[in-house]
Amino acid sequence: MKGKRRRPRTTLVLALALVASLAAAVPATAGPLPFRDPSLSVDQRVDDLLGRLTLDEKVSLLHQHQPAIPRLGIQSFRTGTEALHGVAWLGETTVFPQAIGLASTWDPRLMEQVGSAVGDEARGFQQERPDGWGLNLWAPVVNLLRDPRWGRNEEGYSEDPKLTGALSTAYGKGLTGGDPDHLKTAPTLKHYLANNNEWHRTTTSSELRPRVAKEYDEAAFRPAIAADAATGVMSSYNLVNGRPSTVNPDLNDVVRTWTDRDLLNVTDAFAPANLPGEQRYYPTLAEGDAAAMKAGIDSFTDNSADPGPTVGAITSALGQGLLAESDIDTAVSHILSVRVRLGEFDPGGGRYGAIDTSVINSPEHRKLAREAATEGAVLLKNQAHTLPLKTSQKDVAVVGPLADTLFTDWYSGTLPYAVTPADGIAAKLGRDVTSHEGVDRITLRDAATGKYVTAGTGAAGAALKESAEAPTTEAQFDVFDWGQGVLTLRSAANGRYVGYNWSNFVNDQVQPGGWFAQQQFELETQPDGTYLLRYAGYETEEPWWSNPVYLGPTGTDGTLGLVAKEQAAHYAKDVVRSGLDEAVAAVRGRDAAVVVVGSNPSINGREAHDRTDMALAPAQEALVRAVRKANPNTVVIVENSYPTTLGTLQKEVPALLWTSHAGQETGNALADLLYGDANPSGRLTQTWYRSEADLPSILDYDIIKSDRTYQYFKGRPLYSFGHGLSYTTFRYGELRRVTDGYEVKVTNTGSRAGDEVVQLYTHQRASRDKQPLKQLKAFQRVSLKPGETKTVRLKLTTSDLAHWDVTRSKWVVETGTYDILVGASSSDLRSSVSWQVTGETIPPRDLSGATRAENFDDYSATRLVDESKVRGTAVEATADGAWLRFKDARLNSPQRLTARVAGTSPGTAEIRLGSPTGPLAGTARTDGTGSSYTYETVTADLSAAAKGRTDVYLVLSKGLRLSTFSLR
């Protein structure tokens, strides 16, 4: 089978064991052991090393932290260095824009360069081997951004699989170095599969009907694997169709068919323990780990650095007969293949072994970071040519909560330096600029005692307490509004944020952050005009958290702690200085005002925490309006990690520029764009909706039925997928068919050089199946001087028009007319032609053979579930009267319905014709099988009405599971 080793492993291992025993007696002068010989093939070297390992040694390699094997001179190895937009968690390193910002460049060339730089820096760190080191990198994230409320939106690339596949392949090629036999690093794609919600992410199931799985979710993962730009996948936390992704058989059955190379598949952190834990899928860790290995997992990320539980579970599984040694050999061979290709056993560490720490944050990488931050910014609006600012407009005020700071996210490296927006503009102008955060400074006075809440001075701060009789500096706090009612408090006493340390609230935090962002609060208005101060740290949403969440004095010295609401202190909030007033004063009379608003990556939305809305924080909206009123020449920069609804601001302000949290060079990039030294060229990789009302539940993964993403959305977005403006203009010529696609002439009709991202979409006019309104098939970034014309060629073949045919479980290109559309975005299409394609006609359904229930055309009140714990998908009715539609079936007067059903209660499966309430052709009954995984065959005679060409509906009673059926 493609993707699997073809030799009889057991026989080979026995032979190699004999070779190894003989080799032990060979004098050292005979040369290196075969696994250290670079002249041999990767397979030969892997087989040699595998044959030298004992069973215990092999089992030890299955944990994330693989121990050294001194007798063979093998060093320890660790999977999982984070490298999403730079090497993370190892110290100062080049911090590139967030993944969503990198993707907004629509520039595979640049993505590969960034990937190569990150790969170099990962290699540089290997010279010191710090804690957390490893050349197996966990990046990129290729989960599709189908819902912008996803907490991890910042980590992904796009809502479109074509764009995601192209960019992840480019980034992966940079990380690997481009030669799959000699890897710079070994990137792992995250997270397989359909992981796009954080709410109860380990217990919710992503339901993927076959078309969504094939055309959408799998389509994002396949390109990088097929191009050998990634060396494996990480299984996701969620379930897919009722089965935990950790034991998803697709890891072997699908993913490994995409390449002939060995893949190293890993679990997400602590996911193996979820199987017997909160997922309750297997009763023991041994059974769960065995099932994961059978499904295609090679390395277990569990119990941090302690391999004991994993080694014990695998050993137990071997003893119980759940695993054979051949299963261990298969997984270990995948691991060793990657280690061999990384050059670990080559003299000097192989092709990339000489890369040292000098590459980390090198001048070349700093320049690349600036280029990426510049290319990734998107000009959303530019009314009356507000931008670029003139070089004469030097009297500028930069205001807003992100005006003079840079935030990092959970997967960021440590910034080696930080160029803030204010810094960048000041450097551009060669003079100081006025800067103000525009946030209120307040005091909190206990209404009962009259005492003020105070914080400590010095970097270490002190526990907050009610101690001051007057509003001294120690009693003052800057209040940052991040939306959804959440705010952070920064002490005026030392400029540090207040955070909870599991005991006290202390002003010792440089920035909000940490796995639990313990710097979050809410001020709850009370009927008497006072406020309760509520702690809103992430752990308040964890199932193990049961403590009170309100603040009040807990000791005789007034130290604040967590108390029940009834004991909470009631505070009077007094504004010492108005951030809005000071910002207005700062911008009044200036040549221009730049307002920088947006998000804090640790607040409201990030890993383990989805957003509930996409709006700017109310205080930030108010700030923009006030500044705009005071200075009509106002430019707004939105710096965040996801689409924002923007409210009415989109209409009120003349210029809007979006950037992700773009790393160390953010300020320089923004200054280049604002003053025209760079021409905006970024494009949106997601639809920006006008309201959350445009979106269904975040748990609804059926983009086809729910009309999600630009492909199916029928509403009017705020900004379309692919949108992005320039300081110049572009004209498109006629679209012409060429041998392998289409070409179009694009002309820069403006006075500035600029980059256009030419986007080609298709639309199938008629089909048996519901088709996208438009679908990206090709794109190309092109640089044009003023007046210059270039011919852009975009590849498109008939195979690119295929969709998944559920009637025959295969890809199909239908005969018909396809619209080919090219333009600047999915809604700004400049030229189009039609293409008459000769393909095939999907025949009427033949239901006489075994038809899988999951291959329906439509459904109501059903869910997709695991047919068995090992493989297969069934359909379960969630209410009486649930139905499945099988469109356009040809019935040759069948006599009998035969169905495979399961369920703990009695139930029925009806065959109806034409509609869910159409003529009843037959009813099959079950008394219940006692288990959701125990199936029985039930039958029913069919009436004479079951004939001809019609839609067939299976109407099910609640709780009934259906795997297959036939009408014969």
Side-chain angles (χ1 to χ4, degrees):
M1 178 185 292
K2 187 178 183 183
K4 296 195 176 181
R5 306 178 70 81
R6 297 174 175 82
R7 304 172 196 171
R9 172 64 58 189
T10 303
T11 303
L12 182 63
V13 170
L14 290 174
L16 287 171
L18 177 60
V19 171
S21 66
L22 294 174
V26 177
T29 56
L33 295 175
F35 76 86
R36 294 190 179 278
D37 185 353
S39 69
L40 298 179
S41 70
V42 172
D43 281 357
Q44 288 174 312
R45 299 174 71 183
V46 169
D47 290 340
D48 176 72
L49 179 52
L50 187 67
R52 296 176 187 279
L53 299 173
T54 68
L55 177 58
D56 286 345
E57 287 170 339
K58 289 185 285 192
V59 171
S60 75
L61 300 180
L62 299 176
H63 187 261
Q64 178 188 22
H65 291 261
Q66 301 173 26
I69 302 176
R71 69 180 185 85
L72 293 174
I74 295 175
Q75 297 186 85
S76 62
F77 185 87
R78 178 187 185 275
T79 64
T81 294
E82 300 292 353
L84 185 61
H85 54 109
V87 181
W89 305 357
L90 299 184
E92 289 187 357
T93 183
T94 308
V95 179
F96 293 94
Q98 292 176 307
I100 184 67
L102 289 173
S104 298
T105 66
W106 288 60
D107 191 345
R109 174 200 61 83
L110 179 65
M111 292 291 288
E112 185 170 347
Q113 289 179 333
V114 172
S116 182
V118 175
D120 284 346
E121 297 201 9
R123 279 279 176 175
F125 276 110
Q126 81 164 334
Q127 301 298 340
E128 298 178 351
R129 295 177 65 86
D131 183 44
W133 168 89
L135 291 175
N136 172 239
L137 307 186
W138 287 353
V141 171
V142 299
N143 295 111
L144 293 164
L145 306 182
R146 70 179 175 105
D147 195 308
R149 296 169 296 188
W150 185 35
R152 302 181 77 168
N153 197 86
E154 66 200 32
E155 298 180 36
Y157 287 154
S158 169
E159 68 183 33
D160 181 78
K162 176 69 178 181
L163 181 58
T164 296
L167 297 178
S168 58
T169 298
Y171 191 69
K173 281 185 176 179
L175 292 173
T176 64
D179 181 350
D181 283 331
H182 301 87
L183 298 170
K184 182 187 295 185
T185 65
T188 302
L189 304 183
K190 298 163 66 173
H191 314 79
Y192 194 88
L193 183 69
N195 178 197
N196 192 225
N197 67 272
E198 297 302 291
W199 186 83
H200 291 197
R201 61 180 177 168
T202 60
T203 55
T204 54
S205 178
S206 305
E207 294 180 35
L208 301 183
R209 57 197 285 191
R211 278 195 65 196
V212 174
K214 297 295 182 183
E215 298 173 22
Y216 194 63
D217 287 279
E218 289 178 16
F221 281 83
R222 182 171 185 163
I225 296 292
D228 295 323
T231 59
V233 300
M234 172 189 284
S235 60
S236 53
Y237 283 123
N238 57 289
L239 294 77
V240 174
N241 296 344
R243 182 181 296 106
S245 293
T246 309
V247 291
N248 186 345
D250 282 2
L251 295 167
N252 269 335
D253 299 348
V254 175
V255 177
R256 284 199 159 100
T257 67
W258 295 337
T259 179
D260 286 321
R261 303 278 175 180
D262 279 333
L263 299 178
L264 165 54
N265 294 333
V266 306
T267 73
D268 208 337
F270 306 104
N274 289 337
L275 290 168
E278 57 188 6
Q279 291 172 339
R280 299 181 181 178
Y281 204 70
Y282 286 100
T284 66
L285 186 62
E287 290 169 274
D289 283 3
M293 287 191 67
K294 292 282 191 180
I297 289 295
D298 305 306
S299 177
F300 293 86
T301 314
D302 208 5
N303 299 289
S304 300
D306 180 10
T310 295
V311 170
I314 298 297
T315 302
S316 176
L318 284 165
Q320 296 176 58
L322 301 173
L323 290 172
E325 186 169 356
S326 60
D327 296 314
I328 308 299
D329 290 341
T330 297
V332 173
S333 70
H334 297 154
I335 295 167
L336 295 180
S337 175
V338 168
R339 293 180 66 171
V340 166
R341 288 183 279 157
L342 283 168
E344 179 181 347
F345 309 124
D346 290 359
R351 180 179 297 180
Y352 301 103
I355 297 176
D356 61 24
T357 56
S358 65
V359 301
I360 298 173
N361 192 39
S362 66
E364 294 80 10
H365 292 180
R366 293 197 293 269
K367 180 181 178 182
L368 186 62
R370 183 168 181 167
E371 181 182 357
T374 304
E375 277 198 23
V378 181
L379 183 60
L380 299 174
K381 180 183 179 182
N382 193 23
Q383 182 178 311
H385 303 289
T386 301
L387 288 175
L389 299 174
K390 299 178 179 63
T391 54
S392 60
Q393 293 174 297
K394 293 190 174 184
D395 188 10
V396 176
V398 187
V399 299
L402 286 86
D404 201 20
T405 191
L406 294 185
F407 290 119
T408 55
D409 60 47
W410 178 246
Y411 290 105
S412 289
T414 302
L415 292 170
Y417 59 88
V419 182
T420 70
D423 291 337
I425 293 171
K428 176 69 63 179
L429 298 177
R431 57 179 287 179
D432 291 338
V433 298
T434 300
S435 177
H436 197 283
E437 291 170 317
V439 300
D440 288 345
R441 178 164 289 184
I442 67 168
T443 60
L444 295 172
R445 177 173 48 85
D446 191 322
T449 66
K451 291 188 176 181
Y452 290 87
V453 175
T454 60
T457 58
L464 266 60
K465 61 177 62 177
E466 294 182 3
S467 62
E469 302 290 345
T472 61
T473 301
E474 289 77 9
Q476 297 175 16
F477 300 89
D478 297 323
V479 182
F480 292 81
D481 177 10
W482 299 113
Q484 297 178 238
V486 174
L487 54 88
T488 53
L489 299 172
R490 188 181 63 194
S491 171
N494 65 353
R496 297 293 180 98
Y497 287 86
V498 176
Y500 186 52
N501 64 6
W502 306 102
S503 178
N504 300 117
F505 292 92
V506 182
N507 59 318
D508 60 352
Q509 306 291 301
V510 175
Q511 281 190 8
W515 177 250
F516 296 115
Q518 296 176 288
Q519 303 85 15
Q520 300 179 90
F521 301 90
E522 296 179 14
L523 281 169
E524 294 185 357
T525 306
Q526 300 303 296
D528 62 358
T530 62
Y531 295 85
L532 300 186
L533 185 57
R534 183 181 186 275
Y535 174 56
Y538 275 115
E539 65 275 12
T540 62
E541 296 189 3
E542 295 291 330
W544 44 262
W545 179 268
S546 60
N547 290 354
V549 293
Y550 289 91
L551 274 67
T554 56
T556 55
D557 65 348
T559 298
L560 296 186
L562 293 175
V563 298
K565 186 173 184 178
E566 295 74 21
Q567 284 79 49
H570 286 242
Y571 291 110
K573 183 185 74 172
D574 298 319
V575 177
V576 177
R577 70 182 193 195
S578 166
L580 190 148
D581 290 346
E582 293 196 354
V584 166
V587 304
R588 185 171 283 126
R590 306 284 181 181
D591 293 336
V594 178
V595 188
V596 191
V597 293
S599 69
N600 182 312
S602 296
I603 307 294
N604 296 133
R606 51 154 283 179
E607 184 170 358
H609 192 75
D610 293 318
R611 282 173 293 280
T612 56
D613 68 51
M614 297 178 290
L616 280 180
Q620 294 187 26
E621 283 200 35
L623 175 67
V624 172
R625 287 195 176 90
V627 169
R628 163 69 172 156
K629 185 176 180 181
N631 189 324
N633 195 25
T634 293
V635 175
V636 175
I637 296 171
V638 179
E639 184 179 342
N640 63 16
S641 317
Y642 47 84
T644 306
T645 52
L646 294 179
T648 60
L649 291 183
Q650 192 273 337
K651 295 180 180 179
E652 296 174 6
V653 298
L656 282 165
L657 181 69
W658 174 84
T659 179
S660 69
H661 295 281
Q664 61 203 51
E665 286 287 341
T666 299
N668 284 330
L670 291 175
D672 287 344
L673 292 163
L674 291 175
Y675 280 91
D677 290 328
N679 194 342
S681 58
R683 301 293 185 265
L684 297 179
T685 66
Q686 290 177 271
T687 302
W688 282 42
Y689 298 96
R690 293 180 179 273
S691 167
E692 290 79 17
D694 289 331
L695 295 167
S697 166
I698 196 172
L699 300 180
D700 184 345
Y701 278 76
D702 189 348
I703 68 164
I704 299 174
K705 188 175 179 70
S706 62
D707 295 329
R708 294 185 84 115
T709 81
Y710 81 94
Q711 291 189 21
Y712 295 95
F713 182 58
K714 297 174 183 176
R716 188 167 63 95
L718 182 66
Y719 293 112
S720 300
F721 173 82
H723 171 78
L725 303 178
S726 171
Y727 294 153
T728 190
T729 54
F730 301 95
R731 183 179 67 240
Y732 284 68
E734 293 183 0
L735 195 58
R736 296 193 315 115
R737 177 75 183 159
V738 293
T739 302
D740 59 350
Y742 286 84
E743 67 179 22
V744 62
K745 290 184 177 180
V746 181
T747 302
N748 183 342
T749 54
S751 59
R752 290 175 178 267
D755 284 10
E756 173 71 323
V757 178
V758 182
Q759 303 165 41
L760 185 144
Y761 297 85
T762 63
H763 169 68
Q764 186 175 346
R765 291 187 186 178
S767 172
R768 178 200 180 276
D769 301 310
K770 182 178 178 180
Q771 293 294 333
L773 302 172
K774 57 181 74 73
Q775 191 171 10
L776 182 72
K777 293 297 184 181
F779 65 92
Q780 185 174 324
R781 188 182 178 104
V782 57
S783 299
L784 294 166
K785 299 174 184 177
E788 184 179 10
T789 298
K790 286 185 179 179
T791 299
V792 179
R793 180 166 289 190
L794 301 157
K795 187 176 180 180
L796 182 71
T797 64
T798 54
S799 62
D800 296 322
L801 304 175
H803 76 276
W804 188 254
D805 173 20
V806 294
T807 72
R808 297 170 293 173
S809 294
K810 64 175 236 179
W811 292 99
V812 61
V813 176
E814 292 181 281
T815 296
T817 302
Y818 294 76
D819 293 318
I820 314 301
L821 314 108
V822 67
S825 79
S826 61
S827 63
D828 184 9
L829 299 167
R830 310 288 185 84
S831 184
S832 66
V833 295
S834 62
W835 185 14
Q836 302 298 321
V837 174
T838 300
E840 60 180 302
T841 300
I842 298 175
R845 273 190 183 270
D846 179 2
L847 301 178
S848 62
T851 299
R852 295 207 61 83
E854 65 179 313
N855 284 329
F856 50 73
D857 291 292
D858 199 3
Y859 59 95
S860 176
T862 63
R863 64 177 183 143
L864 294 167
V865 294
D866 49 338
E867 183 178 2
S868 74
K869 293 198 172 188
V870 176
R871 59 174 30 85
T873 297
V875 178
E876 179 179 279
T878 58
D880 288 331
W883 53 261
L884 300 174
R885 179 193 183 199
F886 295 85
K887 178 183 175 183
D888 190 25
R890 176 176 285 142
L891 304 180
N892 296 315
S893 299
Q895 304 296 307
R896 183 174 293 257
L897 160 67
T898 302
R900 292 282 294 167
V901 299
T904 57
S905 303
T908 60
E910 298 178 345
I911 292 292
R912 291 188 176 269
L913 307 176
S915 78
T917 57
L920 177 64
T923 303
R925 291 179 169 81
T926 176
D927 292 329
T929 63
S931 167
S932 296
Y933 297 116
T934 301
Y935 284 81
E936 67 175 359
T937 300
V938 296
T939 62
D941 293 333
L942 297 176
S943 71
K947 63 180 180 180
R949 195 163 171 176
T950 185
D951 292 352
V952 171
Y953 287 78
L954 270 80
V955 182
L956 310 175
S957 57
K958 183 178 181 179
L960 187 71
R961 288 190 172 195
L962 174 67
S963 63
T964 62
F965 74 97
S966 63
L967 303 179
R968 295 183 181 175

